[in-house]
Amino acid sequence: MDTDNWLEDTRTSYDTVADSYAAQLREALDERPYLRAALALLADLVRSAGGGPVADVGCGPGHVTAHLHELGLDAFGIDLSPAMIDLARRDHPRLRFEVGSMTELDLPDASVAAVLAFWSLIHVPDDEIPAVLGHFRRALRPGGTLLVGFHAGDDESSLKTQGYGGHPMRVHVHRRRPDRMAAWLRDAGFAVEAQLLIDPGERVPGAILFARSPGGSARVT
């Protein structure tokens, strides 16, 4: 599968569907209790470790970033799509949002208490995942928490050519086994601490992994 232009294709696709995507996803957390529970646990882990900034990497229109803020976190968002960032800034003017790429994450070393990658790794090719996780580890403080959510599957990939109201897109969607994602995390130096499979009977289940950067503990006390 040709993914050479995946970064530009992803940016253009989400610029194209930004308004429709935001309209469809704005209230999505209301219907996903297990996702809300995972985000609440992330908030507990950050608070128990002394607090600090939380980077929502691949934030889209900012609805999850805003939810983290409502949970009391100092959350900010980063997204590849300028159109998504424009919507996030419009809908959540008190929060910070920046255009950026997880492949060249512009965050200082050891500057954040947690990183959230909520279904934002699904378009990243396999050979780019280790470098992206390396950026996450670099940006995290010792003992910081990484929460990764993704489509679970038998390491399958497909090309999505339209979506969110029928708008044209060109993004490769990767479905990955949780054990493979966990192995990547361990190879990047993380300690994997929890794993959750969501809707295992559905065509495309979701998976969530909690991991900790080396040098401390992010467990709730």
Side-chain angles (χ1 to χ4, degrees):
M1 183 177 292
D2 179 14
T3 58
D4 288 348
N5 298 316
W6 73 273
L7 204 61
E8 184 57 39
D9 287 343
T10 302
R11 179 187 293 110
T12 300
S13 294
Y14 280 96
D15 279 348
T16 300
V17 304
D19 287 313
S20 297
Y21 181 97
Q24 291 186 30
L25 273 293
R26 189 170 286 116
E27 308 299 330
L29 283 176
D30 292 346
E31 302 172 357
R32 305 300 299 273
Y34 296 105
L35 298 188
R36 295 198 310 273
L39 296 173
L41 176 56
L42 175 66
D44 286 344
L45 292 169
V46 171
R47 283 192 292 265
S48 72
V54 175
D56 181 5
V57 181
C59 66
H63 59 294
V64 176
T65 319
H67 185 79
L68 294 176
H69 178 73
E70 291 170 0
L71 292 173
L73 297 183
D74 178 17
F76 64 97
I78 300 169
D79 199 89
L80 182 66
S81 163
M84 288 289 192
I85 292 298
D86 286 344
L87 288 174
R89 289 170 174 167
R90 182 199 69 188
D91 291 346
H92 312 287
R94 293 187 295 173
L95 302 184
R96 177 162 65 94
F97 296 97
E98 301 293 340
V99 176
S101 171
M102 65 180 67
T103 61
E104 297 180 3
L105 194 60
D106 188 19
L107 292 175
D109 293 0
S111 61
V112 296
V115 170
L116 173 68
F118 230 35
W119 277 261
S120 55
L121 295 177
I122 63 172
H123 304 308
V124 180
D126 288 357
D127 59 359
E128 296 278 357
I129 292 289
V132 168
L133 296 180
H135 281 298
F136 292 169
R137 177 180 168 180
R138 176 189 58 77
L140 278 165
R141 296 174 180 172
T145 299
L146 172 62
L147 172 53
V148 179
F150 55 98
H151 294 321
D154 292 324
D155 295 335
E156 305 159 331
S157 297
S158 60
L159 179 63
K160 185 181 183 74
T161 57
Q162 67 174 22
Y164 306 105
H167 297 286
M169 302 183 74
R170 181 179 171 80
V171 290
H172 297 278
V173 180
H174 305 281
R175 301 175 181 88
R176 290 164 171 137
R177 300 191 316 272
D179 61 341
R180 187 177 193 196
M181 184 64 74
W184 274 327
L185 288 165
R186 293 188 185 100
D187 288 345
F190 288 95
V192 177
E193 296 195 328
Q195 176 178 308
L196 173 66
L197 187 64
I198 301 171
D199 297 325
E202 297 296 321
R203 185 178 64 87
V204 183
I208 287 176
L209 294 177
F210 281 86
R212 176 169 48 86
S213 64
S217 174
R219 294 183 177 90
V220 177
T221 57

